[in-house]
Amino acid sequence: MLAVVTGASRGIGRLLVERLIKKGYQVVGIARSREALEELKARFGDSFEYVVQDLAQDGAEREVKKALERLGVGKVDLLINNAGFAIKKPLLEHGEEELQKLF
């Protein structure tokens, strides 16, 4: 079975990658940190592939799709959209651009 995890390089995403692999999944991790993803690849070998991509950037969907095609990813059995970030200030102080990034 194949799982795709966004935000896979640290925190909850990294933990999800580790647990899914232990459960027998082939995992593709997507994150901004090449170094952290390479560490996971070294640790898990063929059970883990990765795509380095900032999902907040324009055109990210297209780039991820191309990368998954290059990896030969077919049917995805499980998708975990874990990627995210925070701008630490009161909600009503955010400008329109910041709100677009948050949502």
Side-chain angles (χ1 to χ4, degrees), residues 48-81:
F48 182 75
E49 295 295 338
Y50 64 88
V51 176
V52 178
Q53 181 65 52
D54 182 347
L55 295 174
Q57 297 299 310
D58 289 337
E61 300 89 358
R62 181 178 58 253
E63 293 304 316
V64 168
K65 184 177 178 183
K66 283 194 262 183
L68 292 175
E69 287 171 357
R70 279 193 305 275
L71 291 172
V73 171
K75 178 183 171 226
V76 174
D77 298 295
L78 179 64
L79 170 62
I80 301 176
N81 285 315

Coordinates of all heavy atoms in Angstrom, one line a residue, residues 48-81:
F48 N 10.9 4.3 1.4 CA 10.6 5.8 1.4 C 11.2 6.5 0.2 O 12.4 6.3 -0.2 CB 11.3 6.4 2.7 CG 11.0 7.8 2.8 CD1 9.8 8.3 3.2 CD2 12.0 8.8 2.6 CE1 9.5 9.7 3.4 CE2 11.8 10.1 2.7 CZ 10.5 10.6 3.1
E49 N 10.4 7.3 -0.4 CA 10.8 8.2 -1.5 C 10.3 9.6 -1.1 O 9.5 9.7 -0.2 CB 10.2 7.8 -2.9 CG 10.6 6.4 -3.4 CD 12.1 6.4 -3.7 OE1 12.7 7.4 -4.0 OE2 12.6 5.2 -3.7
Y50 N 10.9 10.6 -1.8 CA 10.5 11.9 -1.4 C 10.5 12.9 -2.5 O 11.1 12.7 -3.6 CB 11.5 12.4 -0.3 CG 12.9 12.6 -0.7 CD1 13.4 13.8 -1.2 CD2 13.8 11.6 -0.5 CE1 14.7 13.9 -1.6 CE2 15.2 11.7 -0.8 CZ 15.6 12.9 -1.4 OH 16.9 13.0 -1.8
V51 N 9.8 14.0 -2.3 CA 9.7 15.1 -3.2 C 10.0 16.4 -2.4 O 9.3 16.6 -1.4 CB 8.3 15.2 -3.8 CG1 8.2 16.4 -4.7 CG2 7.9 13.9 -4.6
V52 N 11.0 17.1 -2.8 CA 11.3 18.4 -2.2 C 10.5 19.5 -2.8 O 10.6 19.8 -4.0 CB 12.8 18.7 -2.3 CG1 13.1 20.1 -1.6 CG2 13.7 17.6 -1.7
Q53 N 9.5 20.0 -2.0 CA 8.6 21.0 -2.6 C 8.0 21.9 -1.5 O 7.6 21.3 -0.5 CB 7.5 20.4 -3.4 CG 6.5 21.3 -4.0 CD 7.2 22.2 -5.1 OE1 7.8 21.6 -6.0 NE2 7.0 23.5 -5.0
D54 N 8.0 23.2 -1.7 CA 7.3 24.1 -0.8 C 5.9 24.2 -1.3 O 5.6 24.8 -2.4 CB 7.9 25.4 -0.8 CG 7.3 26.4 0.2 OD1 6.2 26.1 0.7 OD2 7.9 27.5 0.4
L55 N 4.9 23.6 -0.6 CA 3.6 23.5 -1.1 C 2.8 24.9 -1.1 O 1.8 25.0 -1.7 CB 2.8 22.5 -0.3 CG 3.3 21.0 -0.5 CD1 2.5 20.1 0.5 CD2 3.1 20.6 -1.9
A56 N 3.4 25.9 -0.4 CA 2.8 27.2 -0.4 C 3.1 28.0 -1.7 O 2.6 29.0 -1.9 CB 3.3 28.0 0.8
Q57 N 4.0 27.5 -2.5 CA 4.4 28.2 -3.7 C 3.5 28.0 -4.9 O 2.9 26.9 -5.0 CB 5.8 27.7 -4.2 CG 6.9 28.0 -3.2 CD 7.1 29.5 -2.9 OE1 7.2 30.3 -3.8 NE2 7.1 29.9 -1.6
D58 N 3.3 29.0 -5.7 CA 2.5 28.9 -6.9 C 3.0 27.8 -7.8 O 4.2 27.7 -8.0 CB 2.4 30.2 -7.7 CG 1.7 31.3 -7.0 OD1 0.8 31.0 -6.2 OD2 1.9 32.5 -7.3
G59 N 2.1 27.0 -8.3 CA 2.5 25.9 -9.2 C 3.0 24.6 -8.5 O 3.4 23.7 -9.1
A60 N 2.9 24.6 -7.1 CA 3.4 23.4 -6.4 C 2.6 22.2 -6.8 O 3.3 21.1 -6.8 CB 3.2 23.7 -4.9
E61 N 1.4 22.3 -7.0 CA 0.6 21.1 -7.3 C 1.1 20.4 -8.6 O 1.3 19.2 -8.7 CB -0.9 21.4 -7.6 CG -1.6 22.0 -6.3 CD -1.5 23.5 -6.3 OE1 -0.8 24.2 -7.2 OE2 -2.0 24.1 -5.4
R62 N 1.4 21.3 -9.6 CA 2.0 20.8 -10.9 C 3.3 20.1 -10.7 O 3.6 19.0 -11.2 CB 2.0 21.9 -11.9 CG 2.6 21.6 -13.2 CD 2.6 22.8 -14.2 NE 3.4 23.9 -13.7 CZ 3.0 25.1 -13.2 NH1 1.7 25.3 -13.1 NH2 3.8 26.0 -12.7
E63 N 4.1 20.7 -9.9 CA 5.5 20.2 -9.6 C 5.4 18.9 -8.9 O 6.2 17.9 -9.1 CB 6.4 21.2 -8.9 CG 6.7 22.4 -9.7 CD 7.3 22.1 -11.0 OE1 8.3 21.3 -11.0 OE2 6.9 22.7 -12.0
V64 N 4.5 18.8 -7.9 CA 4.4 17.5 -7.1 C 3.9 16.4 -8.1 O 4.4 15.3 -8.0 CB 3.5 17.7 -5.9 CG1 3.1 16.3 -5.3 CG2 4.1 18.6 -4.9
K65 N 2.9 16.7 -8.9 CA 2.4 15.8 -9.8 C 3.5 15.2 -10.7 O 3.6 14.0 -10.9 CB 1.2 16.4 -10.6 CG 0.6 15.4 -11.6 CD -0.6 16.0 -12.3 CE -1.2 15.0 -13.3 NZ -2.3 15.5 -14.1
K66 N 4.3 16.1 -11.3 CA 5.4 15.7 -12.1 C 6.4 14.8 -11.4 O 6.8 13.8 -11.9 CB 6.1 16.9 -12.7 CG 5.4 17.6 -13.8 CD 6.4 18.6 -14.6 CE 6.2 20.0 -14.1 NZ 7.0 21.0 -14.8
A67 N 6.7 15.2 -10.2 CA 7.6 14.4 -9.4 C 7.1 13.0 -9.1 O 7.8 12.0 -9.1 CB 8.0 15.1 -8.1
L68 N 5.8 12.9 -8.7 CA 5.2 11.6 -8.5 C 5.2 10.8 -9.7 O 5.4 9.6 -9.6 CB 3.8 11.8 -7.9 CG 3.7 12.4 -6.5 CD1 2.2 12.6 -6.1 CD2 4.4 11.6 -5.5
E69 N 5.0 11.4 -10.9 CA 5.0 10.6 -12.1 C 6.4 10.1 -12.4 O 6.6 8.9 -12.8 CB 4.6 11.5 -13.3 CG 3.1 11.7 -13.3 CD 2.6 12.8 -14.3 OE1 3.4 13.4 -15.0 OE2 1.4 13.0 -14.4
R70 N 7.5 10.9 -12.1 CA 8.9 10.5 -12.3 C 9.2 9.3 -11.3 O 9.9 8.4 -11.7 CB 9.8 11.6 -12.0 CG 10.0 12.6 -13.1 CD 11.2 13.5 -12.9 NE 11.2 14.3 -11.7 CZ 10.6 15.4 -11.5 NH1 9.9 16.0 -12.5 NH2 10.6 16.0 -10.3
L71 N 8.6 9.3 -10.1 CA 8.8 8.2 -9.2 C 8.0 7.0 -9.6 O 8.2 5.9 -8.9 CB 8.4 8.7 -7.8 CG 9.3 9.7 -7.1 CD1 8.7 10.2 -5.8 CD2 10.7 9.1 -6.9
G72 N 7.1 7.1 -10.5 CA 6.3 6.0 -10.9 C 5.2 5.7 -10.0 O 4.7 4.5 -9.9
V73 N 4.7 6.7 -9.2 CA 3.7 6.5 -8.2 C 2.3 6.3 -9.0 O 2.0 7.1 -9.8 CB 3.6 7.7 -7.3 CG1 2.3 7.6 -6.4 CG2 4.8 7.8 -6.4
G74 N 1.7 5.2 -8.7 CA 0.4 5.0 -9.3 C -0.7 5.3 -8.3 O -0.8 6.5 -7.9
K75 N -1.5 4.3 -7.9 CA -2.6 4.5 -7.0 C -2.1 4.9 -5.6 O -1.3 4.1 -5.0 CB -3.5 3.3 -7.0 CG -4.6 3.3 -6.0 CD -5.4 2.0 -6.0 CE -6.4 2.1 -4.9 NZ -6.4 0.9 -4.1
V76 N -2.6 5.9 -5.1 CA -2.3 6.3 -3.7 C -3.4 5.8 -2.8 O -4.6 6.1 -3.0 CB -2.2 7.9 -3.6 CG1 -2.0 8.3 -2.1 CG2 -1.0 8.4 -4.4
D77 N -3.0 5.0 -1.8 CA -4.0 4.4 -0.9 C -4.4 5.3 0.3 O -5.5 5.3 0.8 CB -3.5 3.1 -0.4 CG -3.3 2.1 -1.5 OD1 -4.3 1.7 -2.1 OD2 -2.1 1.7 -1.7
L78 N -3.4 6.2 0.7 CA -3.6 7.0 1.8 C -2.9 8.4 1.6 O -1.7 8.4 1.2 CB -3.0 6.3 3.1 CG -3.1 7.1 4.4 CD1 -4.5 7.3 4.8 CD2 -2.3 6.3 5.5
L79 N -3.6 9.5 1.7 CA -3.0 10.8 1.6 C -3.2 11.5 2.9 O -4.3 11.6 3.4 CB -3.7 11.6 0.5 CG -3.3 13.1 0.4 CD1 -1.8 13.3 0.1 CD2 -4.1 13.8 -0.6
I80 N -2.1 12.0 3.5 CA -2.1 12.8 4.8 C -1.6 14.1 4.5 O -0.4 14.3 4.3 CB -1.3 12.1 5.9 CG1 -1.9 10.7 6.1 CG2 -1.4 12.9 7.1 CD1 -1.1 9.9 7.2
N81 N -2.5 15.1 4.4 CA -2.1 16.5 4.2 C -1.8 17.1 5.6 O -2.6 17.7 6.3 CB -3.3 17.3 3.6 CG -3.4 16.9 2.1 OD1 -2.4 16.9 1.4 ND2 -4.6 16.7 1.7

